[in-house]
PDB file of all heavy atoms in Angstrom:
ATOM      1  N   VAL B  48     299.418  33.372 -12.437  1.00  0.00           N
ATOM      2  CA  VAL B  48     300.562  34.076 -13.025  1.00  0.00           C
ATOM      3  C   VAL B  48     301.175  35.045 -12.010  1.00  0.00           C
ATOM      4  O   VAL B  48     302.341  35.399 -12.124  1.00  0.00           O
ATOM      5  CB  VAL B  48     300.129  34.815 -14.309  1.00  0.00           C
ATOM      6  CG1 VAL B  48     301.308  35.509 -14.959  1.00  0.00           C
ATOM      7  CG2 VAL B  48     299.481  33.847 -15.279  1.00  0.00           C
ATOM      8  N   PHE B  49     300.402  35.474 -11.051  1.00  0.00           N
ATOM      9  CA  PHE B  49     300.901  36.420 -10.043  1.00  0.00           C
ATOM     10  C   PHE B  49     300.714  35.822  -8.651  1.00  0.00           C
ATOM     11  O   PHE B  49     299.951  36.351  -7.844  1.00  0.00           O
ATOM     12  CB  PHE B  49     300.148  37.747 -10.163  1.00  0.00           C
ATOM     13  CG  PHE B  49     300.182  38.341 -11.533  1.00  0.00           C
ATOM     14  CD1 PHE B  49     299.182  38.062 -12.451  1.00  0.00           C
ATOM     15  CD2 PHE B  49     301.227  39.160 -11.932  1.00  0.00           C
ATOM     16  CE1 PHE B  49     299.210  38.611 -13.721  1.00  0.00           C
ATOM     17  CE2 PHE B  49     301.258  39.706 -13.198  1.00  0.00           C
ATOM     18  CZ  PHE B  49     300.256  39.432 -14.102  1.00  0.00           C
ATOM     19  N   PRO B  50     301.432  34.751  -8.366  1.00  0.00           N
ATOM     20  CA  PRO B  50     301.134  34.006  -7.144  1.00  0.00           C
ATOM     21  C   PRO B  50     301.543  34.718  -5.863  1.00  0.00           C
ATOM     22  O   PRO B  50     301.077  34.359  -4.793  1.00  0.00           O
ATOM     23  CB  PRO B  50     301.932  32.702  -7.323  1.00  0.00           C
ATOM     24  CG  PRO B  50     303.027  33.049  -8.255  1.00  0.00           C
ATOM     25  CD  PRO B  50     302.532  34.165  -9.132  1.00  0.00           C
ATOM     26  N   ASP B  51     302.411  35.732  -5.945  1.00  0.00           N
ATOM     27  CA  ASP B  51     302.953  36.318  -4.721  1.00  0.00           C
ATOM     28  C   ASP B  51     302.570  37.783  -4.513  1.00  0.00           C
ATOM     29  O   ASP B  51     303.042  38.415  -3.578  1.00  0.00           O
ATOM     30  CB  ASP B  51     304.483  36.172  -4.713  1.00  0.00           C
ATOM     31  CG  ASP B  51     305.073  36.360  -6.101  1.00  0.00           C
ATOM     32  OD1 ASP B  51     304.335  36.849  -6.972  1.00  0.00           O
ATOM     33  OD2 ASP B  51     306.242  36.005  -6.310  1.00  0.00           O
ATOM     34  N   HIS B  52     301.726  38.315  -5.406  1.00  0.00           N
ATOM     35  CA  HIS B  52     301.387  39.732  -5.250  1.00  0.00           C
ATOM     36  C   HIS B  52     300.507  39.976  -4.039  1.00  0.00           C
ATOM     37  O   HIS B  52     300.608  41.027  -3.401  1.00  0.00           O
ATOM     38  CB  HIS B  52     300.695  40.240  -6.522  1.00  0.00           C
ATOM     39  CG  HIS B  52     301.647  40.770  -7.531  1.00  0.00           C
ATOM     40  ND1 HIS B  52     302.342  39.959  -8.384  1.00  0.00           N
ATOM     41  CD2 HIS B  52     302.063  42.024  -7.814  1.00  0.00           C
ATOM     42  CE1 HIS B  52     303.122  40.702  -9.158  1.00  0.00           C
ATOM     43  NE2 HIS B  52     302.976  41.948  -8.832  1.00  0.00           N
ATOM     44  N   GLU B  53     299.690  39.022  -3.719  1.00  0.00           N
ATOM     45  CA  GLU B  53     298.803  39.215  -2.566  1.00  0.00           C
ATOM     46  C   GLU B  53     299.632  39.376  -1.293  1.00  0.00           C
ATOM     47  O   GLU B  53     299.379  40.281  -0.493  1.00  0.00           O
ATOM     48  CB  GLU B  53     297.862  38.014  -2.460  1.00  0.00           C
ATOM     49  CG  GLU B  53     296.512  38.342  -1.868  1.00  0.00           C
ATOM     50  CD  GLU B  53     295.737  39.321  -2.752  1.00  0.00           C
ATOM     51  OE1 GLU B  53     295.790  39.206  -4.004  1.00  0.00           O
ATOM     52  OE2 GLU B  53     295.113  40.219  -2.181  1.00  0.00           O
ATOM     53  N   ARG B  54     300.611  38.526  -1.169  1.00  0.00           N
ATOM     54  CA  ARG B  54     301.491  38.610  -0.009  1.00  0.00           C
ATOM     55  C   ARG B  54     302.256  39.935   0.001  1.00  0.00           C
ATOM     56  O   ARG B  54     302.356  40.612   1.024  1.00  0.00           O
ATOM     57  CB  ARG B  54     302.484  37.433  -0.053  1.00  0.00           C
ATOM     58  CG  ARG B  54     303.470  37.385   1.095  1.00  0.00           C
ATOM     59  CD  ARG B  54     304.407  36.191   0.959  1.00  0.00           C
ATOM     60  NE  ARG B  54     305.103  36.134  -0.328  1.00  0.00           N
ATOM     61  CZ  ARG B  54     306.160  36.875  -0.659  1.00  0.00           C
ATOM     62  NH1 ARG B  54     306.637  37.732   0.208  1.00  0.00           N
ATOM     63  NH2 ARG B  54     306.732  36.752  -1.839  1.00  0.00           N
ATOM     64  N   CYS B  55     302.753  40.329  -1.161  1.00  0.00           N
ATOM     65  CA  CYS B  55     303.531  41.564  -1.252  1.00  0.00           C
ATOM     66  C   CYS B  55     302.674  42.776  -0.925  1.00  0.00           C
ATOM     67  O   CYS B  55     303.135  43.714  -0.260  1.00  0.00           O
ATOM     68  CB  CYS B  55     304.127  41.695  -2.655  1.00  0.00           C
ATOM     69  SG  CYS B  55     305.274  43.070  -2.821  1.00  0.00           S
ATOM     70  N   LEU B  56     301.441  42.754  -1.364  1.00  0.00           N
ATOM     71  CA  LEU B  56     300.552  43.867  -1.059  1.00  0.00           C
ATOM     72  C   LEU B  56     300.307  43.957   0.442  1.00  0.00           C
ATOM     73  O   LEU B  56     300.287  45.054   1.016  1.00  0.00           O
ATOM     74  CB  LEU B  56     299.219  43.678  -1.800  1.00  0.00           C
ATOM     75  CG  LEU B  56     298.257  44.851  -1.714  1.00  0.00           C
ATOM     76  CD1 LEU B  56     298.791  46.037  -2.495  1.00  0.00           C
ATOM     77  CD2 LEU B  56     296.889  44.456  -2.250  1.00  0.00           C
ATOM     78  N   ALA B  57     300.164  42.796   1.068  1.00  0.00           N
ATOM     79  CA  ALA B  57     299.982  42.794   2.523  1.00  0.00           C
ATOM     80  C   ALA B  57     301.219  43.364   3.200  1.00  0.00           C
ATOM     81  O   ALA B  57     301.113  44.150   4.152  1.00  0.00           O
ATOM     82  CB  ALA B  57     299.710  41.361   3.000  1.00  0.00           C
ATOM     83  N   GLU B  58     302.406  42.988   2.724  1.00  0.00           N
ATOM     84  CA  GLU B  58     303.642  43.525   3.296  1.00  0.00           C
ATOM     85  C   GLU B  58     303.692  45.040   3.170  1.00  0.00           C
ATOM     86  O   GLU B  58     304.095  45.751   4.088  1.00  0.00           O
ATOM     87  CB  GLU B  58     304.860  42.917   2.590  1.00  0.00           C
ATOM     88  CG  GLU B  58     305.194  41.497   3.027  1.00  0.00           C
ATOM     89  CD  GLU B  58     306.356  40.933   2.232  1.00  0.00           C
ATOM     90  OE1 GLU B  58     307.117  41.731   1.642  1.00  0.00           O
ATOM     91  OE2 GLU B  58     306.500  39.693   2.184  1.00  0.00           O
ATOM     92  N   MET B  59     303.279  45.525   1.990  1.00  0.00           N
ATOM     93  CA  MET B  59     303.341  46.967   1.770  1.00  0.00           C
ATOM     94  C   MET B  59     302.403  47.706   2.703  1.00  0.00           C
ATOM     95  O   MET B  59     302.796  48.710   3.323  1.00  0.00           O
ATOM     96  CB  MET B  59     302.984  47.297   0.318  1.00  0.00           C
ATOM     97  CG  MET B  59     302.978  48.786   0.055  1.00  0.00           C
ATOM     98  SD  MET B  59     302.390  49.207  -1.586  1.00  0.00           S
ATOM     99  CE  MET B  59     303.851  48.889  -2.541  1.00  0.00           C
ATOM    100  N   THR B  60     301.188  47.232   2.840  1.00  0.00           N
ATOM    101  CA  THR B  60     300.254  47.927   3.733  1.00  0.00           C
ATOM    102  C   THR B  60     300.754  47.863   5.173  1.00  0.00           C
ATOM    103  O   THR B  60     300.604  48.830   5.932  1.00  0.00           O
ATOM    104  CB  THR B  60     298.851  47.317   3.636  1.00  0.00           C
ATOM    105  OG1 THR B  60     298.939  45.906   3.869  1.00  0.00           O
ATOM    106  CG2 THR B  60     298.243  47.540   2.268  1.00  0.00           C
ATOM    107  N   ALA B  61     301.372  46.736   5.535  1.00  0.00           N
ATOM    108  CA  ALA B  61     301.928  46.647   6.881  1.00  0.00           C
ATOM    109  C   ALA B  61     303.055  47.655   7.042  1.00  0.00           C
ATOM    110  O   ALA B  61     303.139  48.361   8.054  1.00  0.00           O
ATOM    111  CB  ALA B  61     302.442  45.233   7.148  1.00  0.00           C
TER     112      ALA B  61
END
Side-chain angles (χ1 to χ4, degrees):
Chain B
V48 182
F49 306 92
D51 37 14
H52 271 81
E53 210 64 39
R54 180 180 54 78
C55 187
L56 187 69
E58 283 177 20
M59 178 186 280
T60 54

